[in-house]
Amino acid sequence: MPGAGTAAGAGTAGDVGTAGGVAYRIEDLAHHSGATVRTIRAYQDRGLLPRPERRGRANVYADAHLARLRQIAGLLDRGYTLASIKELLEAWDAGRGLGGVLGLVAEVDGPWTDEEAVRISRADLDERFGGNPDDAAVADAIELGVLEPVPGDEDLFLVPSPQELAVAVELYAAGVPLSAISVHLRELRGQVEHIASRFLEFTTEHVFARYLGEHPPTDTEAAEAASLVRRLRPLAQQTVDAELARAMRLFANRHLRRHLGADKVPQPPDETHFVALPAGTIGAVEKLVGAGQVAAFVASAAERELQARTLDRLTANHNKNPIVDEHP
């Protein structure tokens, strides 16, 4: 066979056949794996990739190296860090298996909705929103992820959530400006992300903590966790749907009665209003006072700030007039 007896470091292009399978020069390994030569060497230095076999003056890589590079690439695509990937791979090398962990990763990384993305042309998009092109609104939708540009075609977009786009169309048809829709979506997204974070913390504490020890779970544990993910996945949405329906009915009736004059009872001073706060702020407050005290802490901090400003106004008023105005 041509090339079957060629030394791996002789400089001949292509893979090298050996009795134990195919052997690769580092350039060939890079070509087949999609990684760069520099990346392969960096993985070796960090212990993510086994050292190649030394044959004479040449370093030779095997199919196992190629498989390992593809595993690393897949885990990186799912958001794992190199440090966590190293721990997973060490578990694999120790005989604990990685198949179950990858199955769990695939379950969590899979779609959390039955919606399927669709494509829409710029002309169709403009038509749905009154027929008037609005480049600023399109740019805003792209920033929010409501639209995704299709590479190579500037007049075509991917719509990850057709339902979300349909809501925007209906709101616009009802008279809501596109800029207001974007502001509302940003506010809503912040609140929903907080709900998702809290639900994840809740289920992690009470359900998944036993699978998240110092070391990766075994194949059996990972399979059990993946099964739980499938069972619990719809619960968050079902809970939010039920609570949103309850709250919408409550506040819609209250709002209607107020505007029709049927409800003359003044609103209690402690009526709840929801305010969107950055996730980083919420996280910092939770670390400071605990998750259950976030609302009380924010309310107390706001009240203290209002009192401080009232005192500042009273002091300023006193400096201008010896008689303190009791109603600033």
Side-chain angles (χ1 to χ4, degrees), residues 53-92:
E53 180 184 348
R54 189 72 177 178
R55 295 185 186 173
R57 299 174 58 185
N59 288 326
V60 178
Y61 297 84
D63 284 332
H65 293 91
L66 179 59
R68 175 59 57 88
L69 286 172
R70 288 172 175 166
Q71 287 173 344
I72 294 172
L75 291 169
L76 285 173
D77 286 343
R78 294 183 172 102
Y80 281 74
T81 65
L82 289 177
S84 59
I85 291 174
K86 182 179 180 181
E87 186 176 359
L88 288 171
L89 295 176
E90 285 175 348
W92 170 280

Side-chain angles (χ1 to χ4, degrees), residues 238-279:
Q238 290 170 4
T239 302
V240 171
D241 286 347
E243 284 300 307
L244 180 61
R246 180 198 62 81
M248 285 298 299
R249 181 182 180 186
L250 172 65
F251 286 102
N253 273 290
R254 181 182 298 175
H255 193 73
L256 183 61
R257 288 172 61 85
R258 183 185 306 138
H259 284 275
L260 292 179
D263 189 357
K264 298 298 185 181
V265 179
Q267 294 300 317
D270 59 346
E271 180 182 2
T272 299
H273 294 275
F274 294 97
V275 178
L277 294 175

Side-chain angles (χ1 to χ4, degrees), residues 218-231:
T218 65
D219 276 359
T220 300
E221 292 171 336
E224 291 176 356
S227 177
L228 283 171
V229 169
R230 285 192 294 272
R231 287 171 50 194

Side-chain angles (χ1 to χ4, degrees), residues 198-210 228 232:
R198 293 293 297 120
F199 189 83
L200 185 60
E201 292 170 1
F202 170 77
T203 53
T204 297
E205 177 183 357
H206 296 285
V207 179
F208 294 105
R210 60 183 178 271
L228 283 171
L232 299 181

Side-chain angles (χ1 to χ4, degrees), residues 91-165:
W92 170 280
D93 292 337
R96 296 181 59 192
L98 191 59
V101 173
L102 291 178
L104 175 59
V105 170
E107 192 65 48
V108 173
D109 194 45
W112 286 66
T113 175
D114 294 332
E115 277 196 285
E116 294 184 4
V118 298
R119 293 191 174 196
I120 188 172
S121 67
R122 177 59 189 269
D124 189 12
L125 185 66
D126 291 341
E127 182 180 352
R128 293 194 189 188
F129 289 94
N132 299 316
D134 190 334
D135 292 339
V138 171
D140 213 18
I142 291 174
E143 181 183 347
L144 286 165
V146 177
L147 299 175
E148 295 179 4
V150 174
D153 192 338
E154 61 182 11
D155 292 324
L156 193 62
F157 300 96
L158 185 71
V159 183
S161 174
Q163 290 181 4
E164 195 167 51
L165 181 63

